[in-house]
C-alpha cells in the first residue's frame, strides 16, 4: 500500500465564502477587480485577433489592443491597491 504524504494543513471553511477568500488572499473587492481585468484582457485578445490586412489600420488597431491589454495587466496586478485609496465622499463647506 502506498504511503500517503500530506502536503498542506487542513483548512476550516465552515463559514463559507469568507474563509475561502481569506485562504486565497482576496477580498470581495479584489475578486471583482480581478474579474474586470480578466474581461478586459479577453476583449484585448479579441481585438488582436480581428486585425485587418491593411498595414496602417492593423498598426492602429493593434496598438489599441496592446494598450488595452496593458491596462488589463495593470488592473490585475495593482487594482486592489488603486481602488483601496478611494474613500467615502466628504461634504464640502458652503460659503
Amino acid at each position: 500500500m502506498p504511503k500517503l504524504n500530506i502536503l498542506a494543513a487542513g483548512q476550516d471553511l465552515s463559514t463559507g465564502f469568507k474563509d475561502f477568500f481569506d485562504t486565497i488572499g482576496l477580498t470581495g473587492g479584489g475578486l471583482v477587480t480581478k474579474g474586470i481585468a480578466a474581461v478586459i484582457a479577453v476583449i484585448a485578445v479579441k481585438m488582436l485577433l480581428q486585425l485587418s490586412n491593411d498595414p496602417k489600420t492593423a498598426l492602429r488597431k493593434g496598438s489599441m489592443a496592446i494598450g488595452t491589454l496593458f491596462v488589463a495587466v495593470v488592473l490585475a496586478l495593482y487594482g486592489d491597491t488603486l481602488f483601496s485609496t478611494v474613500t467615502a465622499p466628504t461634504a464640502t463647506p458652503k460659503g
Side-chain angles (χ1 to χ4, degrees):
M1 180 170 242
K3 183 180 176 192
L4 181 63
N5 292 328
I6 298 176
L7 299 176
Q11 296 288 327
D12 178 27
L13 301 178
S14 60
T15 60
F17 284 115
K18 182 185 179 315
D19 284 337
F20 172 71
F21 290 137
D22 288 342
T23 60
I24 61 175
L26 281 177
T27 61
L31 187 66
V32 169
T33 304
K34 300 268 189 266
I36 292 171
V39 169
I40 293 173
V42 168
I43 291 170
V45 169
K46 183 181 176 198
M47 288 168 65
L48 279 172
L49 293 175
Q50 292 181 344
L51 294 178
S52 66
N53 290 332
D54 179 34
K56 185 188 280 188
T57 306
L59 184 63
R60 184 174 49 86
K61 288 185 177 182
S63 62
M64 285 176 48
I66 296 295
T68 305
L69 193 58
F70 177 75
V71 168
V73 168
V74 168
L75 186 61
L77 293 175
Y78 304 112
D80 50 348
T81 305
L82 290 171
F83 292 127
S84 69
T85 60
V86 177
T87 58
T90 57
T92 57
K94 293 182 182 180

